[in-house]
Amino acid sequence: MTATSVTVIGLGPMGHAMATTYLDRGYDLTVWNRTPAKAAALVARGARLAPTVEDALRASDLAVLSLTDYTAVYAILEQAPAALAGRTVANLTSDTPARAREAAAWLARHGAVQLTGGVQVPPPGIGTPGAMTYYSGPAEAIETHRAALETLTGIDHLGEDPGLAALYYQIGIDMFWIGLTGYLHGQALAQANGISAQDFLPHALKTVDFRYFLEFYAPRIDAGNHAGDVETLSMAVASLEHVVRTAEESGVDASLPAATLDLFRRGVAAGRDQDSLTSLVEVVQKG
Ligand code: NDP
């Protein structure tokens, strides 16, 4: 085991990018994956494919996990719990904050430290400047493994609570999936009307530049100020009805904007029609 040895468990697109980056930076890399064939290109470049999970864990003080969810984490680590003692597991696997906390406690019972991580870039961003990962867990473990972790991305250490990184990640990914699906729906509407995604690109870029709105709304949301002095939910309902009708008239499935329209209408039914769209924060919190 060397100071620059690291184990990567999970070779989906993300784990593969991480393993490749470690090889690029000269790390002594051990990998393990449920489907070993996915390690072939890495092994050809000098990575060692561990025959067992136990071997993979014992090869390095730091194991980086990049798996679909924590069910996969347990499915793997339960194969060799005794090999966890004394190790740090950088668990860069997405799941809920509660599951991240449970896993940290489970690992602690086996003598290991979990650093929960939420990677904020897609696989091609790994190892590039500006890439960041939310981390939470013991600061000491971050410091011990700072160089290896920073080989992948910058570190945004949020605190000790192992659930925090998962929480920040889920908040961001909530915005990301819903926002990106909005983009895709818009492009379905564009394409149905003979406008290509490339043609619409400059307009799409302007439309998704939410900075002005976010900076304007954030202090108001925190203050509970949902005054309808700039826009009102009743205007938003009328506007979204136009979107739904345009989609229907274009032969495009309107269920996505219709679901949003349903939420807006629930806001109106709750008496927020003359309030800002931001009042939806309170509408969804009340369920
Ligand atoms: P994948 O879902 O493609 O990861 C699959 C990995 O999990 C493979 O190694 C797969 O093994 C393993 N796996 C899944 N289920 C099991 C199981 N039951 N037992 C053992 N191994 C299992 O995800 P990505 O590589 O794309 O991402 C990894 C993590 O990073 C995810 O949590 C994702 O949310 C997060 N992330 C991904 C980003 C992306 O753009 N890809 C961006 C930011 C975060 P096998 O090869 O055998 O199937």
Side-chain angles (χ1 to χ4, degrees):
M1 200 183 297
T2 69
T4 55
S5 68
V6 65
T7 291
V8 173
I9 294 181
L11 297 176
M14 183 56 89
H16 205 279
M18 291 173 172
T20 301
T21 302
Y22 279 127
L23 286 175
D24 290 345
R25 306 287 168 86
Y27 273 76
D28 179 2
L29 177 69
T30 299
V31 294
W32 186 91
N33 196 52
R34 177 180 61 177
T35 309
K38 287 190 188 167
L42 299 165
V43 170
R45 288 196 53 202
R48 199 175 70 84
L49 176 60
T52 61
V53 173
E54 171 164 10
D55 183 290
L57 290 171
R58 292 199 190 281
S60 316
D61 288 337
L62 175 68
V64 175
L65 267 56
S66 178
L67 300 160
T68 306
D69 54 24
Y70 278 47
T71 302
V73 170
Y74 288 115
I76 292 169
L77 297 185
E78 279 171 351
Q79 295 177 35
L84 288 165
R87 301 205 144 69
T88 298
V89 174
N91 196 350
L92 310 186
T93 301
S94 166
D95 214 316
T96 66
R99 291 202 91 194
R101 291 185 185 111
E102 274 166 24
W106 184 86
L107 280 161
R109 287 199 294 279
H110 291 94
V113 171
Q114 171 170 285
L115 288 172
T116 314
V119 181
Q120 298 170 40
V121 290
I126 298 299
T128 65
M132 291 301 287
T133 297
Y134 296 122
Y135 279 99
S136 62
E140 197 187 335
I142 296 264
E143 291 317 318
T144 304
H145 298 290
R146 179 171 284 281
L149 299 175
E150 284 184 339
T151 298
L152 302 177
T153 68
I155 295 170
D156 185 356
H157 186 215
L158 299 166
E160 301 271 321
D161 170 3
L164 263 186
L167 178 61
Y168 272 64
Y169 178 80
Q170 297 310 336
I171 294 168
I173 210 80
D174 178 345
M175 295 167 59
F176 178 79
W177 284 132
I178 294 174
L180 198 65
T181 312
Y183 165 72
L184 296 177
H185 194 271
Q187 297 326 291
L189 189 51
Q191 215 174 53
N193 287 280
I195 303 163
S196 73
Q198 281 290 1
D199 283 344
F200 201 78
L201 182 58
H203 310 290
L205 288 170
K206 276 190 204 152
T207 304
V208 299
D209 183 1
F210 288 149
R211 173 177 284 272
Y212 167 81
F213 296 98
L214 270 52
E215 288 177 348
F216 177 73
Y217 285 135
R220 286 181 161 222
I221 291 170
D222 283 346
N225 171 11
H226 302 296
D229 53 341
V230 176
E231 37 66 38
T232 62
L233 202 49
S234 67
M235 175 279 289
V237 165
S239 169
L240 205 41
E241 282 171 350
H242 306 154
V243 174
V244 170
R245 282 211 298 276
T246 305
E248 287 168 349
E249 287 167 7
S250 304
V252 168
D253 183 321
S255 56
L256 190 61
T260 310
L261 178 57
D262 176 62
L263 178 62
F264 286 16
R265 284 180 174 148
R266 282 197 280 134
V268 169
R272 312 304 296 255
D273 56 310
Q274 292 311 305
D275 285 345
S276 164
L277 190 69
T278 59
S279 62
L280 291 175
V281 168
E282 292 179 0
V283 172
V284 295
Q285 281 168 350
K286 287 176 185 143

